[in-house]
Amino acid sequence: MCGSLRLLNGPVFSEAIILTGKMDKNRLKEGIFPSDIKNMSLHELELLCDEIRAYLLETVSETGGHLASNLGVVELTVAIHKVFDTPEDKIVWDVGHQTYVHKILTGRGAYMNTLRRFHGMSGFPKREESAYDTFDTGHSSNSISAALGMAAARDLRGDNYAVAAVIGDGAFTGGMVYEAMNNAGVLDRNFIIILNDNGMSISRNRGSMSQHLAGLRTSPKYHELKSGVKNGLNKIPLVGGGLARGVSHMKDAVKYMLVSGVLFEELGFTYVGPVDGHDLESLIAILEDAKRTDEPMVIHCITEKGKGYRPAEQNPSKFHGISPFDRETGALKKTASKPDYSKVFGKKLTEMAVRDDRIAAVSAAMIDGTGLKAFEETFPERIFDVGIAEEHAVTFAAGLATGGFRPYVAVYSTFLQRAYDQILIDVCMQNLPVTFCLDRAGIVGADGETHQGIFDLSYLSHMPGMTVLAPSDRTQLENMLEYSLTLDGPCAIRYPRGEAAELTDFAQIPYETGDIPGPRLLFSGREEPAQSPDDIEEPMTPEKTPDVCILAVGTMVSAAVYAAIRLQANGIRASVIDAGKVCPLSEQDIGFYKKEGRAAGRVITIEDNVTVGGFGSIIEDLFAADPSVTVHKFGWPDAFIPHGSQAELMKEYGLDAAGIADRIMALAGED
Ligand SMILES: Cc1ncc(C[n+]2csc(CCOP(=O)(O)OP(=O)(O)O)c2C)c(N)n1
């Protein structure tokens, strides 16, 4: 195996690259396929790993992306494509954020510079993108289920290709893993689980499963498959031949002497490991053995997240998902000037928890991403990181609430989708005061289809008893958090990815601390009548009502205001209302919307959510029996929205200020 040479002031480059100068990244750009590596020698494959690492660094430092996870699976991915006959053999990548190496090895190296960019290559596996991508992933812990289904389909059809799921130890905390393994034990299909264990989720992995894996990690290496156990036992120091003779069942011998994989064996899997996931030679040998074996198997590989690039090895969490950075230093190219919503949320919740000891925070493996780091440092006993287990997080919070606590579940909008039933039945039906803080709500950008948080207003607003709030700026978010503490039942506050807006500049009614969430008029869109005949020479004119009334939600409020300014320049008077609260609407809210809607005769709702079943639908229902008002719903279409920057996607779908203004002018033109 090639060693690594650490340069004091720079990234880690491989010895082979530096000493032999044989690196040829061009072949990666030109397109390398699994067939190209089948006949490579071990040394050539090791060189290839070096090239891939250098290429990953070169490209991901420009595009941003999941660098550390990919650096950690270079040897594993090369070994997989060396051993398995893809695409006939099926590999399912859990989460799929670690598939850059797989993409490079399956002819897509040339597109690495377009990674996660608008119209570029996706950062996740996509069946539409390549025959080598067998399953679209993005949300964690489903790979074993998908692989088991593929194995069942194969057997029903009488085919005989191999099926493998590659899953990280972080994803292994998700409940679906155990549902799938429970089922796999009885289905007894020939398929392989490759457990990529780096001890990390996004940050340090937590939970007893993680502790169990950590125990296995340090247990003696055991590479032989069951067929080779007997010989293996005799060779193992300390255990030796005597004990091997004394046990009647080989399986028991494995369990009790090597302590390895008991849990997996009990579930009906053959456990192989731990294996050094950077030792290409061992990996290839083990995968070849596994491919020949026809039973469910777990291969436990130990890898290092960020392997080969020192800044990522030292800080794998930072390089888990990173925006463009300087390769020499690892520093981000752009840093935010204002705090983002996650930070505002984390700071405010920590402040609230100082004065209210009922407040507890719950996270599903996203403490950093959701801004809860400060809370964790201040109140380690009142924060619960449950692992990638959103369903459990919600019901766990419900349990906390029955015990008199005020739990705040901080979760990305897209991942809360997993817990629909738990929110509805375990929280709402019992009217428990659990507050859901939905980060990354709305379009998230580069992560694409699986991560767009554009469904939450629809899946939350129809839940009985749920209050749904959407701040349009940082003060609003703080106010809403305070407000949630006054409620007797469930609440969801959804806010977008990115810097927190400060709308006070152009809001006619500035946002003030302590405001109760509800609709407020930012722009009246009216041409006011003269106040006194003395002020003007002309006689007093009646008020001119707005031509259009824009009801905007959350992040769309600032776009709506800028659109109104553009409209005004084009002779169209628009009133703009910041909805603040999506539901439930009070009698007062309804009266206000009706008055403003009727004044204009045309209502436009704008939300960073699909138009189906969201805020627009609530408003549409409100005016359903009123022929004097037409409602138009602006938002995301009933579709999966691909990757691109937030700004590009907003523009593409006519949801930026210019697009909104153009669409409203077109509607006005139709009259
Ligand atoms: C259902 C769900 N919740 C949260 C996430 C966010 N997420 C993406 S990767 C990741 C950590 C995965 O850790 P692991 O599987 O060990 O992979 P590694 O990056 O360490 O290789 C998390 C929490 C997700 N993708 N899906």
Side-chain angles (χ1 to χ4, degrees), residues 528-542:
E528 301 293 343
Q531 294 301 303
S532 146
D534 302 336
D535 292 344
I536 51 163
E537 287 164 13
E538 296 293 316
M540 197 161 85
T541 52

Side-chain angles (χ1 to χ4, degrees), residues 69 97 138-140 168-171 198 200-201 305 320 388 390 415:
S69 310
H97 63 311
H139 285 205
S140 114
D169 57 307
N198 53 26
M200 300 286 297
S201 192
K305 200 159 177 166
H320 174 86
I388 307 180
E390 289 79 7
F415 302 137

Side-chain angles (χ1 to χ4, degrees), residues 197-276:
D197 179 3
N198 53 26
M200 300 286 297
S201 192
I202 290 180
S203 35
R204 188 172 52 79
N205 203 4
R206 322 250 175 134
S208 55
M209 188 64 202
S210 155
Q211 283 164 14
H212 175 69
L213 294 178
L216 296 186
R217 230 177 279 152
T218 50
S219 67
K221 282 195 180 152
Y222 172 56
H223 291 167
E224 293 82 358
L225 300 187
K226 257 197 250 167
S227 56
V229 161
K230 202 163 198 169
N231 289 338
L233 284 177
N234 286 318
K235 287 184 207 150
I236 293 168
L238 300 182
V239 176
L243 196 44
R245 277 190 301 277
V247 287
S248 51
H249 291 105
M250 236 14 107
K251 203 167 163 186
D252 288 345
V254 177
K255 281 181 196 171
Y256 297 113
M257 291 189 296
L258 300 178
V259 200
S260 292
V262 176
L263 187 70
F264 299 113
E265 296 270 341
E266 291 291 350
L267 287 169
F269 286 79
T270 298
Y271 171 86
V272 181
V275 183
D276 178 348

Side-chain angles (χ1 to χ4, degrees), residues 112 130 149 157 193 229 233 268 273 311 318 442 447 478 498 517 532 566 574 623 626 629 636 638 665:
M112 278 300 288
S130 166
R157 291 198 174 278
I193 297 173
V229 161
L233 284 177
K318 173 180 164 192
D447 279 334
E478 289 166 350
S532 146
R566 280 171 178 261
F623 289 105
D626 188 341
V629 179
W636 300 100
D638 188 12
M665 282 191 284

